[in-house]
Amino acid sequence: MRNIWLVIKHDLGVTLRQRSFWIFTLLVPAFLLALNTYQIFEEGRAARSDSDGHQPEAESTRLAALPAIGLVDEAHLIVDLPPDIPDDLFVRFPDPAAALAALEAGEIDQYVHIPANYLIAGNVTVYDQNFQILQNGEDMGVAFRSENEWVLPQIIGYNLVDDEQLFVALQNPVPGALAESHALRAAPETDAASQELAGVVSRVMPYLYYFLLVMGSSYLMRSVVAEKENRTAEVLLLSLNPREMMVGKLLAMSGLTWLQALVWVGGGILVLGRGAEALNVAEFAFPPGFLVWAVLFLILGYLLFASVMAAAGAIAPNAREGGQVTVLLIVPLMPTLMFGPAFVEDPNGILPVVLSLFPFSAPSAMVTRLAVAPVPLWQIFLSLAALALTAYLFIVLAARFFRAGNLLSFESFNWRRLATGWRQVK
Amino acid sequence: MRSFWLIARHEYHHTVARRGFVIMTAAIPLGLIALIGLGILVEGIGKDSRPVGYVDHSNTLDDGLHTMMTDADARIQILAFSDEATGRNALEAEEIQALFVLPAEYPQTLHTELYYLEEPPTGEVWRHFDDYVRLNLLSDMPEEMQRRLLEGPDIAVRDIVSNRVFSKSGAVNIALPFVASFLLFFATMAGSGYMLGIVAGEKENRTIEVMVTTVTPGQLIGGKTLGLLAAALTQLTIYFLAVVVGLVVAAPHVPELQQIAVPWGYLGVVALFFLPTYALVSAMMVAIAGAVGEVQQGQQLAGLLYFFFMLPMLLVPILFKNPGHPLMVFFTLFPTTSFLTISLRWGLGTVPLWQVGVSWVLLVATTGFVVWAAARIFRAGMLHYGQPLSVKAALASIRGA
């Protein structure tokens, strides 16, 4: 027991003295938090400016501020403008050369060219200078993806159709605002702002678990490999047995993971609080019991990942070769990172359910699901049981790898050794 | 000179033969394919493909016209019901996902009724029904006019500064520089990582001391850099070929991919920026390897350094909001982030020529300085016999003190 305690103390001391540990623990999350706060602030601002909510069709045909726009209409198509569009929207030019000269001279910001064969080809070109696509579509004139991208199709359509009533119907034949909706079954109540915050949680949670699990277990592997490389392991194994060394390292690194978790979760709570403030809604509340499940999944997930890394560290001659195993652990976590928003859209869909039951992706996927929606209890228990069983099996396997023979060997790392190393008898 | 080529050749063969290199070279394209496949699967799983029903009291709609719609097979099926009761029964039996009811006064009035179970139909489903109604409203018009009104104009933006064309149908040309940025960044960082591992490793096990008895430090580092650069280019060529093969195979089945234009401008920027950036990051790794006593120490410092190269990736949300954001302009000009920022900005619009020019000049000047400084640090580190070089000593070696 005393030996285990000495290993814990030593490993904690060594890692806490590493500058990289503190950089990753404090600086990187601080930067990501600042970035997320900025995003939440921007999203909140956008949400407030669009407080009427989403309409299923492009009904928000409100003309946003437009720069001076030229028009070269070789098809002689644009005779009138629809009533809701100002008559002086376009500065007309007789030919493209004149419009180009005006654009280059800065007299106009864009010009629209409708070629003579428009009816056959359907092409319209907008000429611009230093054009950039902006997510909010502002300051993009009448280009595609701009907030006024509906203007050109509407003007052209208006001039092609003689009948005004038909034109209005063609623009939006079944307007959502004029459709009287009847839901035959009561849908679960959703609050748009809470959904926004759930979206933020679904993005942050997989990253949090990714860093905690992969980095925490990587520290363990690096610690084992470093002691092999600098031959400290040879001296250590004279006075303690490999199992004591493994347990000591596992506990020391789990302590560090908890320290990181505290720093990051604190930051996460701060972000969610700020997000709620920016969106002007009540603070995001995790479902009851969430914290208990989150801690359980973190502990078991860490034990599983750490045992795999401990085994890799025991047989790898250096950190670079041992790092190959990290790929094995990162791959199952990637889908949750990539498709976090899918967890909010359909938390009980096939992908979230499969990912939250598969032991290597369960810690991150199940906790993300639990954070954003209710999960059937049987799924939580099944996932937890599978994770606990897998973690136990891998700890037993890691203990087999953690033998003096492997710890003192500098044989090159290979997958065959990883697959068969545990079979060797003492 | 012979020693230089010998080292370059050895480093190249040694690197490309490594299992890790082979795995990573194969893993990136395969991983991308898997992610795209998973994305398509997720998209497909979440989709409600049940038909939409309607009851038309105005006799505006002719259900025979549905088959005449362009890409009718890819659209949601639309079923006519004679009365609301039948339609609602089908809805409750979950045979359809929504039921639209058009009143007798349609289209004089655009008021309609919509029945659904819990959730209203998605925007895409609604659009399909809108298109169907439009087709019916235009059924008396000449075919050419009908097609133009249904399809609407195909609007493209031509930038007169860069002469590039941006369009919705050519969205793949916007996405490609993003994919390329990730691959280029990955190859550069992987190459520099090998550089650090090799130089610091050989310094740690003293191989380097034996080697400098027969070659100059310049030949040694230059040869290693060239060998690893060739390995990185090999990796990039494989990525490039994988993307080309993927596009050639997929293009006949995905109409959007047929709009791809060879991005000559982008390739020119890559050609201009890749080599100085690679040289910059490699020189930094040589400096780190020269200054530290152990590989592990070097990896810790390199981890911090990578952060300065990958900053634009962490700022992608800001980039999407506004590629010309002052922060993005700063990263465009800052030497460690310029290549990645320009590469990422390329897909979203024109990067002003002055920014590209100033950025390139700053990058080349910084690279020249760092290469020169790295050689001095490396030399000073060699003379320290396994002892790490302090920041003060490293600065002194640059000053030549």
Side-chain angles (χ1 to χ4, degrees):
Chain A
M1 194 63 197
R2 195 176 156 270
N3 286 342
I4 292 176
W5 174 240
L6 283 173
V7 173
I8 293 174
K9 228 164 59 173
H10 169 262
D11 275 31
L12 275 177
V14 168
T15 313
L16 289 175
R17 278 196 295 274
Q18 283 177 13
R19 221 171 294 158
S20 63
F21 174 80
W22 291 107
I23 288 169
F24 279 110
T25 304
L26 299 173
L27 279 185
V28 176
F31 178 78
L32 292 175
L33 287 181
L35 194 65
N36 267 300
T37 310
Y38 174 80
Q39 271 180 271
I40 291 166
F41 175 74
E42 287 287 312
E43 280 165 14
R45 208 171 55 171
R48 278 197 299 277
S49 66
D50 187 26
S51 55
D52 290 340
H54 172 74
Q55 290 295 334
E57 265 295 300
E59 289 163 22
S60 55
T61 49
R62 196 164 37 82
L63 192 66
L66 275 171
I69 298 171
L71 174 68
V72 182
D73 181 12
E74 291 178 332
H76 304 294
L77 198 69
I78 312 297
V79 180
D80 296 313
L81 295 184
D84 53 342
I85 291 178
D87 290 335
D88 59 349
L89 176 71
F90 293 123
V91 181
R92 286 182 182 263
F93 290 92
D95 54 64
L100 184 64
L103 181 62
E104 282 172 342
E107 292 162 19
I108 52 173
D109 295 294
Q110 270 183 349
Y111 76 87
V112 178
H113 178 225
I114 304 175
N117 67 345
Y118 172 75
L119 270 184
I120 300 161
N123 295 323
V124 172
T125 309
V126 177
Y127 287 80
D128 201 328
Q129 281 193 90
N130 289 324
F131 176 73
Q132 296 201 6
I133 299 168
L134 276 68
Q135 198 177 36
N136 58 14
E138 283 174 11
D139 303 324
M140 288 171 64
V142 289
F144 74 97
R145 285 199 60 86
S146 77
E147 55 187 344
N148 292 314
E149 70 170 338
W150 56 274
V151 170
L152 277 181
Q154 185 170 339
I155 292 173
I156 293 171
Y158 182 79
N159 283 277
L160 285 175
V161 180
D162 280 339
D163 184 342
E164 187 148 350
Q165 190 184 46
L166 177 61
F167 169 68
V168 172
L170 281 175
Q171 270 192 287
N172 197 354
V174 189
L178 300 180
E180 194 182 324
S181 296
H182 307 277
L184 300 188
R185 289 179 198 159
E189 274 188 30
T190 52
D191 173 7
S194 302
Q195 282 292 101
E196 285 282 337
L197 274 180
V200 174
V201 172
S202 72
R203 281 205 301 257
V204 172
M205 203 56 85
Y207 277 100
L208 184 71
Y209 270 68
Y210 172 86
F211 278 118
L212 286 174
L213 294 174
V214 175
M215 282 179 57
S217 51
S218 297
Y219 279 127
L220 179 63
M221 187 204 58
R222 291 220 309 250
S223 158
V224 176
V225 173
E227 282 173 6
K228 274 179 78 172
E229 276 186 289
N230 60 25
R231 311 268 172 158
T232 316
E234 292 173 21
V235 182
L236 283 172
L237 290 176
L238 290 175
S239 49
L240 78 166
N241 71 49
R243 296 281 167 91
E244 286 176 327
M245 192 170 153
M246 185 183 107
V247 173
K249 283 185 179 299
L250 209 66
L251 291 177
M253 294 306 150
S254 60
L256 291 171
T257 304
W258 277 109
L259 178 68
Q260 284 181 323
L262 279 176
V263 173
W264 294 352
V265 169
I269 289 170
L270 190 82
V271 166
L272 289 178
R274 284 294 191 91
E277 211 176 284
L279 293 168
N280 200 19
V281 293
E283 278 193 22
F284 184 84
F286 287 110
F290 169 79
L291 206 62
V292 176
W293 295 124
V295 168
L296 276 173
F297 275 98
L298 180 61
I299 292 172
L300 290 174
Y302 175 78
L303 286 175
L304 173 60
F305 278 54
S307 54
V308 176
M309 285 299 216
I315 58 169
N318 55 52
R320 205 173 54 186
E321 293 197 21
Q324 291 175 31
V325 176
T326 316
V327 179
L328 273 186
L329 300 179
I330 289 174
V331 169
L333 295 176
M334 285 307 279
T336 314
L337 280 178
M338 303 289 293
F339 304 108
F343 281 63
V344 182
E345 283 165 24
D346 189 8
N348 293 313
I350 291 178
L351 185 76
V353 171
V354 169
L355 288 174
S356 58
L357 294 178
F358 179 61
F360 282 91
S361 56
S364 161
M366 182 57 93
V367 174
T368 306
R369 265 182 85 195
L370 281 165
V372 296
V375 178
L377 209 59
W378 69 266
Q379 285 185 19
I380 304 176
F381 280 117
L382 180 64
S383 169
L384 212 55
L387 180 60
L389 183 68
T390 316
Y392 172 75
L393 288 174
F394 273 87
I395 289 170
V396 171
L397 275 176
R400 290 198 177 197
F401 278 109
F402 238 78
R403 292 176 297 102
N406 280 331
L407 289 170
L408 299 177
S409 160
F410 280 89
E411 198 183 325
S412 179
F413 176 89
N414 62 55
W415 297 97
R416 196 171 53 81
R417 279 188 72 205
L418 189 67
T420 58
W422 58 278
R423 282 192 211 142
Q424 295 163 17
V425 288
K426 218 172 187 178
Chain B
M1 201 59 194
R2 195 177 153 267
S3 310
F4 174 83
W5 289 114
L6 213 62
I7 292 168
R9 218 170 48 191
H10 166 80
E11 220 50 76
Y12 176 77
H13 287 304
H14 180 71
T15 306
V16 296
R18 280 189 56 229
R19 198 179 295 119
F21 181 87
V22 176
I23 289 172
M24 289 321 292
T25 307
I28 294 284
L30 292 177
L32 276 176
I33 291 169
L35 277 176
I36 291 168
L38 201 58
I40 293 168
L41 186 74
V42 171
E43 183 75 15
I45 286 170
K47 236 178 196 171
D48 188 345
S49 55
R50 285 174 301 167
V52 167
Y54 71 87
V55 178
D56 179 21
H57 295 301
S58 64
N59 292 322
T60 308
L61 308 182
D62 171 5
D63 63 337
L65 281 180
H66 187 250
T67 50
M68 289 171 64
M69 296 185 74
T70 49
D71 61 350
D73 294 341
R75 287 170 175 268
I76 206 96
Q77 201 187 344
I78 294 172
L79 302 176
F81 289 91
S82 53
D83 56 72
E84 282 172 56
T86 324
R88 283 179 60 165
N89 284 342
L91 183 62
E92 277 171 5
E94 301 193 11
E95 289 162 9
I96 55 174
Q97 55 173 303
L99 177 74
F100 287 94
V101 180
L102 272 56
E105 303 80 38
Y106 190 88
Q108 284 77 28
T109 172
L110 296 178
H111 284 91
T112 52
E113 281 190 274
L114 169 65
Y115 293 90
Y116 51 85
L117 284 178
E118 284 181 6
E119 297 284 339
T122 60
E124 190 191 0
V125 172
W126 204 300
R127 261 193 305 281
H128 286 182
F129 187 68
D130 276 343
D131 288 345
Y132 172 62
V133 179
R134 276 193 194 100
L135 180 69
N136 280 277
L137 291 171
L138 292 170
S139 55
D140 295 335
M141 285 200 173
E143 199 181 330
E144 191 178 67
M145 185 78 87
Q146 203 183 89
R147 209 183 73 215
R148 193 51 47 229
L149 280 164
L150 281 173
E151 290 176 5
D154 184 4
I155 301 170
V157 178
R158 181 177 283 277
D159 187 280
I160 61 165
V161 176
S162 62
N163 212 23
R164 291 173 61 198
V165 176
F166 303 85
S167 69
K168 205 176 252 180
S169 53
V172 66
N173 294 315
I174 296 171
L176 270 182
F178 275 85
V179 178
S181 301
F182 282 91
L183 295 179
L184 287 166
F185 174 76
F186 187 81
T188 310
M189 292 300 121
S192 61
Y194 293 141
M195 183 75 168
L196 175 77
I198 289 165
V199 178
E202 286 181 0
K203 202 182 153 207
E204 194 178 309
N205 60 29
R206 307 273 172 132
T207 314
I208 222 151
E209 288 169 26
V210 181
M211 289 180 76
V212 289
T213 55
T214 47
V215 295
T216 66
Q219 284 175 329
L220 183 70
I221 296 302
K224 282 182 186 301
T225 308
L226 188 70
L228 289 174
L229 174 66
L233 288 174
T234 306
Q235 201 169 37
L236 280 173
T237 309
I238 292 168
Y239 291 161
F240 178 73
L241 288 176
V243 170
V244 170
V245 169
L247 290 175
V248 168
V249 171
H253 312 288
V254 186
E256 286 81 4
L257 294 181
Q258 290 158 15
Q259 305 292 326
I260 287 182
V262 180
W264 293 113
Y266 179 70
L267 292 176
V269 165
V270 169
L272 269 178
F273 278 80
F274 179 71
L275 287 181
T277 306
Y278 191 88
L280 176 66
V281 70
S282 296
M284 285 179 170
M285 292 303 153
V286 169
I288 290 174
V292 298
E294 293 170 8
V295 179
Q296 216 185 351
Q297 269 181 313
Q299 280 170 342
Q300 283 172 21
L301 277 173
L304 184 62
L305 195 73
Y306 286 149
F307 192 66
F308 288 98
F309 280 87
M310 65 182 288
L311 266 174
M313 275 197 190
L314 300 174
L315 294 170
V316 161
I318 297 176
L319 182 86
F320 273 124
K321 282 193 171 62
N322 181 4
H325 193 283
L327 201 61
M328 286 299 135
V329 176
F330 173 76
F331 284 132
T332 301
L333 301 178
F334 195 70
T336 59
T337 49
S338 57
F339 178 38
L340 193 56
T341 312
I342 290 177
S343 182
L344 288 169
R345 280 179 71 184
W346 199 265
L348 294 173
T350 301
V351 184
L353 210 59
W354 73 265
Q355 289 181 20
V356 178
V358 172
S359 159
W360 190 79
V361 170
L362 285 175
L363 174 65
V364 170
T366 310
T367 303
F369 172 75
V370 174
V371 167
W372 172 80
R376 290 193 158 220
I377 293 174
F378 180 75
R379 190 169 162 272
M382 292 266 298
L383 298 172
H384 272 68
Y385 290 109
Q387 291 298 311
L389 212 60
S390 68
V391 177
K392 206 172 150 188
L395 289 175
S397 70
I398 293 172
R399 285 199 306 270

